Amino acid sequence: MERRKALKLVGLAGTAALFPQMYLKAAMPAAENNPIWENAWKNLGKFNAQRYQFRYVEPVKKLPKVFIYGDSISIGYTEYVRQSLLGKACVYRLHENGGASKDFISKMETFRKGMFQPFLEGGWDFEWDIIHFNVGLHDLKYLFNGKLDKVKGEQNVTLKEYKENIAKIIDYLQSTYPKAKLIFATTTPVPEGEPGRIKGDEVKYNNMALSELKKHSNIIINDLYTFSQAIIEKYAEGPGNVHYTPTGQRLQGIEVARVIAKELDVIPNPCPSVESILLEFKQYEKKTGNKQTVIIH
């Protein structure tokens, strides 16, 4: 069913491009302007001042707050989620690439202590309504001298360690953010010929995560792996590449926004076209003097 849905979305990819970007930015509640928050955000990580997906987003008091934790796949779809939920939710993401499961808690704590009270005087005091999270692609990769190499390298996080880390992540999220609804996204496909990953390992790691998540019926599963199988066939960034072209990222963003919107009980906006989003990227680059760089691996 999800695979058919993905194929349908591929076929409709150009349809929503007809909706003007200005349609999505009409009549929003007033944002809360606070220089303390913006300065803290810029100091949190180097990407926050360089890349459009990591730009500062002013909180809107009346809107639910959504947090995305993930690797470069999530970085790719972040802006499409944000635009699909514009005026419906404030969508934030981790200030860097989420990396492997062993890094999850420390990175979340860096973010929390950098932006929220009581750690930041006068910082954010709201709570997350939704936390959409994923780890996996950085766990199952093989590294040799810090580079992807599935021939000479060792796996970054073993399957056993991954299971243990998932349990720790769930405990951390439930204890630190007890009011947040949690959505776990399965790890997206690994294609044949990927230099540092073995096709099929993502299935093993997903199954291991899902076995742990069975203990927590309140956590929503976003099966992004199944959904993305059709997407990667047509919109992979290149042969043997786990990343997606902007069109693929957009389709994933629409799906992630749909899952989040369902939990928020709102209707997502028609997602802007790839062209309109890329134009915003370029305008941001011109304003900041920085160019978009791809965070890979």
Side-chain angles (χ1 to χ4, degrees), residues 94 129 142 156 159 185 220 252:
L94 186 69
D129 294 276
Y142 288 80
N156 191 30
L159 199 55
I220 309 301
Q252 289 177 320

Side-chain angles (χ1 to χ4, degrees), residues 62-254:
K62 295 182 179 180
L63 295 182
K65 308 300 187 294
V66 175
F67 186 78
I68 296 175
Y69 186 107
D71 52 29
S72 56
I73 305 302
S74 74
I75 294 171
Y77 61 64
T78 287
E79 193 56 33
Y80 299 99
V81 177
R82 189 173 282 149
Q83 294 297 332
S84 295
L85 296 176
L86 189 66
K88 311 294 177 74
C90 296
V91 179
Y92 297 86
R93 66 155 295 106
L94 186 69
H95 59 284
E96 60 181 323
N97 190 315
S101 59
K102 60 186 178 183
D103 303 317
F104 186 100
I105 295 174
S106 64
K107 291 189 176 187
M108 283 292 288
E109 281 295 280
T110 296
F111 187 94
R112 185 167 74 103
K113 291 176 180 179
M115 293 303 303
F116 284 89
Q117 299 180 30
F119 311 101
L120 174 64
E121 185 176 354
W124 287 342
D125 61 356
F126 60 76
E127 298 186 33
W128 298 118
D129 294 276
I130 299 276
I131 297 176
H132 183 281
F133 67 106
N134 163 262
V135 284
L137 280 180
H138 284 259
D139 293 88
L140 56 83
K141 68 183 180 182
Y142 288 80
L143 295 173
F144 182 75
N145 291 335
K147 296 182 179 180
L148 293 174
D149 190 334
K150 62 186 176 186
V151 177
K152 299 179 182 178
E154 293 185 2
Q155 202 157 38
N156 191 30
V157 176
T158 67
L159 199 55
K160 180 177 180 295
E161 292 170 336
Y162 183 68
K163 177 179 172 62
E164 293 170 352
N165 290 342
I166 291 293
K168 291 176 183 177
I169 288 169
I170 293 170
D171 287 344
Y172 167 79
L173 290 174
Q174 291 183 331
S175 61
T176 310
Y177 306 101
K179 295 184 179 180
K181 186 166 289 188
L182 304 180
I183 302 176
F184 177 80
T186 53
T187 297
T188 48
V190 174
E192 291 284 2
E194 214 281 347
R197 299 174 176 90
I198 297 174
K199 181 178 174 60
D201 275 359
E202 76 276 27
V203 176
K204 298 176 184 177
Y205 278 68
N206 279 333
N207 287 339
M208 187 62 77
L210 292 173
S211 69
E212 190 63 33
L213 287 161
K214 284 181 179 178
K215 304 173 186 176
H216 305 275
S217 59
N218 59 323
I219 299 179
I220 309 301
I221 306 299
N222 178 6
D223 191 5
L224 207 54
Y225 166 77
T226 299
F227 178 83
S228 297
Q229 284 182 300
I231 308 300
I232 201 166
E233 290 176 6
K234 190 170 183 179
Y235 296 113
E237 198 170 84
N241 197 317
V242 295
H243 300 94
Y244 300 82
T245 65
T247 298
Q249 294 168 351
R250 177 176 176 273
L251 294 171
Q252 289 177 320
I254 292 171

Side-chain angles (χ1 to χ4, degrees), residues 5-22:
K5 186 190 301 177
L7 287 168
K8 183 178 180 181
L9 275 173
V10 170
L12 294 175
T15 303
L18 300 176
F19 289 89
Q21 181 76 346
M22 61 187 298

